């Protein structure tokens, strides 16, 4: 058996097209959606993520701007940027790219974001609303996964869903969304005993642990739907030979690195019913969710101002 490929890039392109039409309508009504980004420090991966997010904004017609602060920025300086965006009527969404340098109080910064502009869904008010099944802004990666499953026609009702990872950004909101879609949800983490026995119960398995190729055939029930959230850059040739298909391994030899997920794709493809690729799976959906949250935020502002 070869797993069906769940093409996140294709679904994300579809979502972005729909959003571009909505942005055009809002802009014509005088409310062009705007995203304010804070990029702090010199983490190359963060710079790449911010560049792809702002490029996606431009392609969708969303205005975006990026405030850049050095690696020695203080909490007060980052808070100033956030408060500046909070006060601006033309900024409907605020994105603080994580991780922040260690001297910056991440919690204080995330809590300072106006919850009505918190398009990343990290503010406790938005987390609380999600827990109560009254979502306003939902964390972009899990929201993107749900959209993919919905558009692929995967019905979650009554299914056993296992989420591997319990971070605030991915694992926990993912589990809540699956629960709200009437799946029976189990969350696993580094202290879970007999992990493969638990994951093998999953009709839907979501891997978000940050370990290259961790999920093997032995973790997967035959026919399961496997969503690979992980993004790991590998540079070791032996690891690449192990984790990559022969074609992708050729690319690795040319570039000296490759992106892989938390799932050992060549092994799991042979067992699962469906699998998201890395790259081209969940990553593009995360960006599409960010755009969608920003457009929603602008629409709500516009609707409020129209009803005043
Ligand atoms: P974190 O490091 O915050 O969380 C990892 C989680 O995995 C923790 O809950 C940890 O358990 C658990 N874990 C680690 N090792 C094991 C193990 N051996 N067995 C079982 N559980 C384990 O990571 P994130 O949630 O932020 O990210 C996870 C992955 O997703 C990363 O690869 C990241 O790059 C990627 N990512 C991808 C995005 C996308 O757009 N596609 C967006 C965000 C993240 P414990 O809590 O016990 O420590």
């Amino acid at each position: 058996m070869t797993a069906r490929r769940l093409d996140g890039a294709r679904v994300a392109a579809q979502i972005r097209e729909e959003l571009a039409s909505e942005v055009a309508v809002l802009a014509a009504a005088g409310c062009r959606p705007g995203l304010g980004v804070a990029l702090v420090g010199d983490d190359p991966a963060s710079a790449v993520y911010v560049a792809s997010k702002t490029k996606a904004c431009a392609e969708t017609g969303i205005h975006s701007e990026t405030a850049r602060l050095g690696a020695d920025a203080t909490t007060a300086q980052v808070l100033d940027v956030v408060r500046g965006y909070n006060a601006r009527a033309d900024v409907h969404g605020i994105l603080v790219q994580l991780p922040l340098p260690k001297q910056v109080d991440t919690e204080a910064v995330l809590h300072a974001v106006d919850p009505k502009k918190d398009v990343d869904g990290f503010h406790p008010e938005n987390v609380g609303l999600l827990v109560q099944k009254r979502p306003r802004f939902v964390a972009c990666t899990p929201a993107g996964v749900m959209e993919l499953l919905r558009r692929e026609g995967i019905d979650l009702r009554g299914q056993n869903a296992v989420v591997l990872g319990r971070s605030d950004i991915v694992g926990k909101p993912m589990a809540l969304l699956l629960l709200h879609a009437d799946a029976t949800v189990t969350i696993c983490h580094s202290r879970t005993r007999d992990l493969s026995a638990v994951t093998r119960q999953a009709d839907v398995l979501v891997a978000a642990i940050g370990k290259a190729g961790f999920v093997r055939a032995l973790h997967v029930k035959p026919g399961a739907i496997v969503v690979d959230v992980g993004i790991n850059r590998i540079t070791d040739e032996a690891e690449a030979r192990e984790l990559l298909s022969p074609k992708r391994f050729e690319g690795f030899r040319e570039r000296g690195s490759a992106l892989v997920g938390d799932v050992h794709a060549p092994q799991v493809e042979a067992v699962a019913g469906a699998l998201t690729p890395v790259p081209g799976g969940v990553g593009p959906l995360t960006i599409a969710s960010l755009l969608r949250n920003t457009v929603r935020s602008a629409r709500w502002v516009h609707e409020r101002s129209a009803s005043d």
Side-chain angles (χ1 to χ4, degrees), residues 141 165-167 170 189-190 208-211 214 229-232 283 286:
T141 300
R166 57 174 163 180
S167 71
V170 186
H189 45 78
S190 64
I209 60 173
K211 293 205 153 59
F214 179 90
V229 174
I231 299 180
N232 311 287
T286 298

